Amino acid sequence: MRIAVLGATGRVGRLVVDQAVERGHEAVALVRSPQKYVQPARGGVEVREADVTGPRSFPDLGDVDVVVSALGISKGDGPGALVAGARILAALPVRTLWLGALGSGLSTGAGGGIYQAVMKMFVGKELAEKAAADAIVLESGATVFHAPDLWVGDVSAARRNVPLAQYPKPFLPPHASRATVAALIVDEAERPTPEAGILVPVAGA
């Protein structure tokens, strides 16, 4: 399988590339500055220049099986980067897996009251853009991952993707390691959940 990763230099995107390569897939890193991309230890990753703020020059992805967006909002980005990326991917005839955030848009409140308060405090204005981007890709048939608070850690052996409608609201703020979320994204690429819509990546039992 050929898996393209938008945001391949980010903290989750790098791990998605690593997971894909480790499992024997062909990985395509979509990055703003190809010359700055550092190949993973096993190497062999194709690199293509891709800037969501320049949609006319966005590379063709007709040769990939699935595209993963681990796009985030960087300090140097103005508002609109996520929506711009969502519009580009929504227009492509390629299966899309989009990394969003639990507590935004349709999952507002799903992480519990404490978690939602923390999201408003630390994510704030970005919540509206995350929700808008989600809506665009969902309309195109993409699967969206509403990840909880992300920590450093290993891949959870008991990981699973839970449809948002079946996700039990926790009392304590939920979290998962970035490596676990990356593994779950590749799991979904390999074994699609029918009519997934929004999935919540869960670590542990």
Side-chain angles (χ1 to χ4, degrees):
M1 180 182 295
R2 284 176 63 79
I3 301 175
V5 182
L6 180 61
T9 57
R11 288 181 289 182
V12 176
R14 285 195 302 255
L15 295 172
V16 173
V17 171
D18 289 346
Q19 283 281 333
V21 171
E22 287 176 11
R23 299 190 201 187
H25 300 299
E26 297 178 26
V28 179
L30 305 176
V31 297
R32 287 182 181 177
S33 303
Q35 67 277 11
K36 296 181 181 179
Y37 181 75
V38 178
Q39 288 277 348
R42 296 181 63 174
V45 175
E46 181 184 343
V47 183
R48 297 181 188 175
E49 184 174 355
D51 186 346
V52 297
T53 63
R56 292 184 180 179
S57 61
F58 201 82
D60 176 63
L61 297 179
D63 61 336
V64 305
D65 300 295
V66 60
V67 57
V68 173
S69 172
L71 196 64
I73 300 177
S74 303
K75 291 183 179 179
D77 293 332
L82 286 182
V83 168
R87 287 174 175 158
I88 290 173
L89 296 191
L92 297 177
V94 181
R95 184 160 68 98
T96 297
L97 305 180
W98 178 273
L99 179 60
L102 186 68
S104 64
L106 295 175
S107 70
T108 298
I114 298 173
Y115 177 85
Q116 195 65 41
V118 171
M119 285 290 287
K120 288 182 179 179
M121 183 180 300
F122 290 100
V123 182
K125 296 179 180 179
E126 294 179 10
L127 286 174
E129 182 168 354
K130 289 178 180 295
D134 285 356
I136 292 169
V137 293
L138 283 169
E139 179 67 23
S140 73
T143 297
V144 176
F145 291 82
H146 273 200
D149 187 27
L150 297 180
W151 294 6
V152 174
D154 296 329
V155 175
S156 170
R159 68 185 185 271
R160 66 194 190 283
N161 285 315
V162 180
L164 179 60
Q166 300 172 23
Y167 180 67
K169 184 183 296 185
F171 175 71
L172 295 176
H175 64 271
S177 72
R178 294 183 182 89
T180 295
V181 171
L184 283 167
I185 289 173
V186 180
D187 288 347
E188 181 66 19
E190 294 174 335
R191 298 179 297 278
T193 302
E195 300 179 2
I198 296 177
L199 296 175
V200 181
V202 174

